[in-house]
Amino acid sequence: MINTLYKSLIFSILILGLGACELVELDSPTSEDEVVFPTIDGPTTVPSEESALLQLLHNGSEKTWSAMGFTLFGLQGFQSCRLDDVITINSNGTFMYDGGEQLCGAEDNTRRRSGTWRVDAGSRLMFEAGDRTYTAIVDGIDAENIVLSGEYIGLALKGHYTAP
């Protein structure tokens, strides 16, 4: 009798446990119109002359850009861990990146990085730090704002940075 009761109890726990496990389907919009992301505002033009772009990027010597907004496709809201990021672009082709106090994790696990940068193919910026190369497309720039886009593990990202 106790053995049967024990088996019934075990069986009931297993059935309840399996019933609690179900496949969860992530909410996915049925059309692109339903995707809601924060808007990255800022300039939408890029100078056609590379010399004008360079002047805006580093102001003839160095310029420090601070993050104002950053989105990653598939994540709702701004990535707050990116909002304390700062990058200094120097006219000698070097840069210093500071990820701020709040790091995002994964590849963003080192607060400070430095390396070299260059303009490639008009408005594409190539940043090299150690054995990594990061690519950013300048979507728009003026004297105080820059909007960059790119890709991370296949996901579209966009950032707005400002320079006082």
Side-chain angles (χ1 to χ4, degrees):
M1 175 83 174
I2 293 178
N3 195 17
T4 304
L5 182 60
Y6 181 71
K7 287 180 182 178
S8 295
L9 182 61
I10 296 288
F11 182 72
S12 297
I13 290 172
L14 286 173
I15 294 298
L16 287 174
L18 290 175
C21 296
E22 61 184 62
L23 290 176
V24 176
E25 185 175 322
L26 297 176
D27 292 334
S28 57
T30 56
S31 74
E32 286 189 26
D33 295 336
E34 294 180 26
V35 178
V36 178
F37 291 102
T39 302
I40 297 289
D41 293 322
T44 58
T45 59
V46 180
S48 58
E49 297 290 323
E50 186 175 306
S51 61
L53 175 62
L54 293 174
Q55 181 63 30
L56 291 169
L57 279 171
H58 55 64
N59 204 26
S61 62
E62 74 174 31
K63 197 169 198 177
T64 299
W65 297 92
S66 301
M68 296 297 297
F70 189 91
T71 60
L72 182 63
F73 184 84
L75 297 179
Q76 295 293 324
F78 289 118
Q79 281 202 283
S80 60
C81 60
R82 297 277 183 208
L83 297 181
D84 61 353
D85 292 8
V86 174
I87 185 167
T88 301
I89 297 178
N90 301 301
S91 62
N92 67 359
T94 63
F95 75 92
M96 172 60 120
Y97 169 81
D98 185 336
E101 291 290 325
Q102 188 179 4
L103 299 175
C104 295
E107 289 185 29
D108 187 32
N109 61 0
T110 303
R111 179 162 179 188
R112 290 188 174 85
R113 291 190 180 118
S114 60
T116 59
W117 70 274
R118 62 181 162 59
V119 175
D120 185 43
S123 63
R124 187 169 58 185
L125 303 178
M126 308 297 288
F127 295 92
E128 295 180 16
D131 62 348
R132 297 290 317 246
T133 299
Y134 304 92
T135 303
I137 306 299
V138 180
D139 292 334
I141 188 170
D142 62 28
E144 297 169 350
N145 297 279
I146 187 170
V147 175
L148 301 171
S149 62
E151 193 175 283
Y152 175 70
I153 60 170
L155 300 173
L157 55 88
K158 194 164 211 169
H160 176 198
Y161 298 81
T162 187

